[in-house]
Amino acid sequence: MRSARHQKKKRRLKKRAIFILFSLFTVCIAGAAYFYSQYKDAFSKSNDDTAIAQTEYDFDGKKDKYGNTNILLLGSDSRGEEHARTDTIMIAQYNSKNSKPKMVSIMRDSYVEIPGHGMNKINAAFAYGGPELLRQTLKENFDIDLQYYAILDFQGFVKMVDIAFPEGIEIDVEKRMSKKIGVTLEPGRQMLDGKELLGYVRFRQDAIGDFGRVDRQQQAIKAISDQIVSVDGITKLPKIVGAVSPFVNTNIGVTDTIGIGKDILSGGSTNIESLRIPVDNGYENRRVDGVGAVLDLDLDKNKTALHEFLDQ
């Protein structure tokens, strides 16, 4: 009698376990379907004749010696045209051990040795040999390994912001801005749409010029990160990836992109640490015949600062 009750109880537990597993499986399938539908919906809205030309680039990248994933981020108005320089050069780092994101901005006028081409502004490396030559240039000058690259078209940036964040991105605009950016921005904390945010990050018509522009680029990225965390978190990632995909030329797969973003958000380390190269007191302003105004780097000082920042 007792054995029969025991067997009956085991069968009930087994059925319950099967039901729970089936329910979890159903939720996972539904979640995956939702993620995919969000990605495809945003992708279809973005994928029109303004999408970036998907030129295939060779890129001999790898993880750094500490196992970190370093991504070369490039921003350009060229939309794939040949021999274009890059307006924005950044390194984004993802540490899989602590899910800690970091970001480095490389000033485009930094005067460095470009393999096979001599001394020039660092953004000329892309015009000479695409992201691979820029990777080699960063490796030769700063001994930094890069695994992936991503080239974002600025007009795609506008559309991505408008699709993924229809209410805009909150920015504290520090001064009135209008010259050569296509919009007029008044001072104060406000929600910026894609065109306004692009104008904000491109403004450089003041006393600090390109240095201010680089600072605003970093602020905008941090603001977008904060918006993701505060509004929808992980569930918004497929929509963002789908919106930006037609405007990004990259060797990072969609699954890896969402996976890295999910790990960063779920890991709790959403605060992005940032650095600018050259560092303060690590350069001199100089004019070079045939090149123009450059930032003549104290290479050892900047290399040390970069490694102290990324190798932690």
Side-chain angles (χ1 to χ4, degrees):
M1 185 74 173
R2 185 177 179 182
S3 178
R5 284 200 303 268
H6 180 69
Q7 291 297 323
K8 190 175 182 180
K9 183 177 180 181
K10 284 181 65 177
R11 285 196 296 270
R12 284 200 305 269
L13 290 173
K14 185 176 180 180
K15 287 180 179 179
R16 185 179 300 172
I18 292 173
F19 175 77
I20 292 172
L21 287 173
F22 179 77
S23 299
L24 288 173
F25 177 75
T26 303
V27 169
C28 289
I29 292 297
Y34 171 79
F35 270 46
Y36 182 72
S37 68
Q38 289 287 295
Y39 167 79
K40 290 296 291 183
D41 179 62
F43 182 89
S44 63
K45 289 178 180 177
S46 294
N47 194 19
D48 59 17
D49 58 359
T50 64
I52 190 171
Q54 294 297 320
T55 304
E56 290 189 15
Y57 292 106
D58 293 327
F59 197 78
D60 189 22
K62 62 180 180 180
K63 288 181 180 290
D64 69 16
K65 59 184 177 182
Y66 300 100
N68 298 318
T69 297
N70 295 323
I71 305 167
L72 177 62
L73 301 179
L74 306 173
S76 176
D77 259 345
S78 68
R79 306 242 299 264
E81 68 190 40
E82 197 174 1
H83 306 308
R85 296 194 180 198
T86 53
D87 282 348
T88 302
I89 302 172
M90 290 183 173
I91 298 171
Q93 183 183 83
Y94 164 65
N95 185 318
S96 60
K97 295 178 181 177
N98 56 23
S99 300
K100 195 173 185 179
K102 293 183 179 181
M103 175 175 54
V104 180
S105 293
I106 311 291
M107 300 286 288
R108 62 183 181 177
D109 290 341
S110 298
Y111 196 51
V112 297
E113 180 75 28
I114 299 176
H117 297 274
M119 297 293 294
N120 208 327
K121 295 180 181 182
I122 194 168
N123 69 338
F126 183 82
Y128 290 142
E132 170 59 15
L133 184 57
L134 188 47
R135 181 198 68 77
Q136 293 175 22
T137 300
L138 289 165
K139 176 65 175 178
E140 178 169 310
N141 288 272
F142 300 103
D143 193 27
I144 181 74
D145 286 307
L146 300 160
Q147 185 174 5
Y148 298 116
Y149 75 87
I151 307 168
L152 174 63
D153 171 68
F154 285 156
Q155 294 309 310
F157 172 82
V158 170
K159 196 155 190 177
M160 179 273 292
V161 170
D162 289 341
I163 291 174
F165 307 99
E167 296 181 1
I169 297 295
E170 187 175 17
I171 293 288
D172 188 4
V173 180
E174 67 271 23
K175 66 184 75 175
R176 190 176 191 275
M177 303 176 185
S178 61
K179 192 173 182 180
K180 296 185 178 181
I181 60 173
V183 295
T184 297
L185 303 177
E186 300 295 341
R189 186 168 291 278
Q190 55 201 281
M191 302 299 287
L192 301 184
D193 63 20
K195 186 176 180 180
E196 293 166 337
L197 188 61
L198 178 63
Y200 175 76
V201 301
R202 300 203 71 191
F203 180 76
R204 44 179 272 172
Q205 305 301 317
D206 58 9
I208 56 177
D210 220 28
F211 286 88
R213 188 177 69 95
V214 166
D215 287 343
R216 283 186 284 276
Q217 288 172 356
Q218 293 188 347
Q219 290 175 34
I221 290 176
K222 291 177 181 179
I224 290 172
S225 174
D226 290 342
Q227 190 96 336
I228 295 171
V229 175
S230 63
V231 180
D232 292 313
I234 296 173
T235 60
K236 203 170 185 71
L237 282 173
K239 187 174 184 179
I240 295 169
V241 174
V244 77
S245 289
F247 307 104
V248 175
N249 186 317
T250 182
N251 62 340
I252 313 173
V254 171
T255 303
D256 288 339
T257 303
I258 294 176
I260 291 173
K262 177 179 68 65
D263 287 348
I264 291 173
L265 290 176
S266 61
S269 299
T270 54
N271 182 43
I272 302 176
E273 296 181 41
S274 61
L275 177 73
R276 186 203 69 220
I277 296 295
V279 295
D280 291 341
N281 302 314
Y283 69 97
E284 291 183 359
N285 290 301
R286 181 181 164 199
R287 183 163 290 276
V288 177
D289 290 342
V291 178
V294 302
L295 301 174
D296 193 9
L297 306 187
D298 179 335
L299 201 56
D300 289 337
K301 186 170 187 176
N302 284 282
K303 181 178 176 180
T304 298
L306 181 62
H307 281 268
E308 287 179 350
F309 178 71
L310 290 179
D311 295 349
Q312 297 177 10

